Amino acid sequence: MDVESERRIGRNEAIARQVNEAIESGRGPADVQAPVAFRCECGQLGCNQLIEVTLGDYERVRAHSRHFVVADGHQQPEVESVVERRSAYAIVEKHDAAGRVADASDPRS
């Protein structure tokens, strides 16, 4: 995969992460084990799939700028590696150009 495609995927994922950050911040104080519907953070254009993730698990994912939560089957091995699997989603880590975009666009860094 060429570098520009990797960057495009990284930008798409960063936008999904920004949406999820807004969802999480609007929740207020809540039980960290309560499931919340988050948007899939994959790089596929037009993906609007929702994934139920606990606030605690989402915080654990967000502790790493290159980690994203994606619906099962939405992994893109060209730009990421699966670091953990759950029943309905996977946690992936971006590498190369997509990883650099993830680092640069992380609203928490």
Side-chain angles (χ1 to χ4, degrees):
M1 179 175 285
D2 64 69
V3 173
E4 187 51 39
S5 294
E6 289 182 24
R7 286 186 184 129
R8 179 188 49 78
I9 290 170
R11 285 189 300 269
N12 291 345
E13 293 159 344
I15 290 167
R17 179 169 59 190
Q18 290 172 346
V19 169
N20 285 342
E21 287 283 315
I23 290 170
E24 183 184 36
S25 68
R27 298 287 302 172
D31 179 3
V32 295
Q33 293 306 314
V36 176
F38 286 98
R39 186 173 165 207
C40 176
E41 295 177 339
C42 76
Q44 298 176 30
L45 287 176
C47 177
N48 290 315
Q49 187 164 343
L50 296 178
I51 310 165
E52 284 197 344
V53 180
T54 66
L55 290 175
D57 283 346
Y58 189 72
E59 277 300 307
R60 194 168 46 82
V61 170
R62 290 298 299 118
H64 305 281
S65 65
R66 291 185 178 216
H67 287 192
F68 291 78
V69 60
V70 299
D72 192 35
H74 289 212
Q75 302 88 341
Q76 296 184 27
E78 307 85 23
V79 297
E80 63 200 14
S81 302
V82 174
V83 295
E84 189 175 330
R85 288 191 187 278
R86 297 295 179 109
S87 60
Y89 65 91
I91 299 168
V92 297
E93 182 174 345
K94 307 302 175 205
H95 45 78
D96 300 327
R100 289 187 293 277
V101 171
D103 288 339
S105 64
D106 186 359
R108 296 186 182 194
S109 61

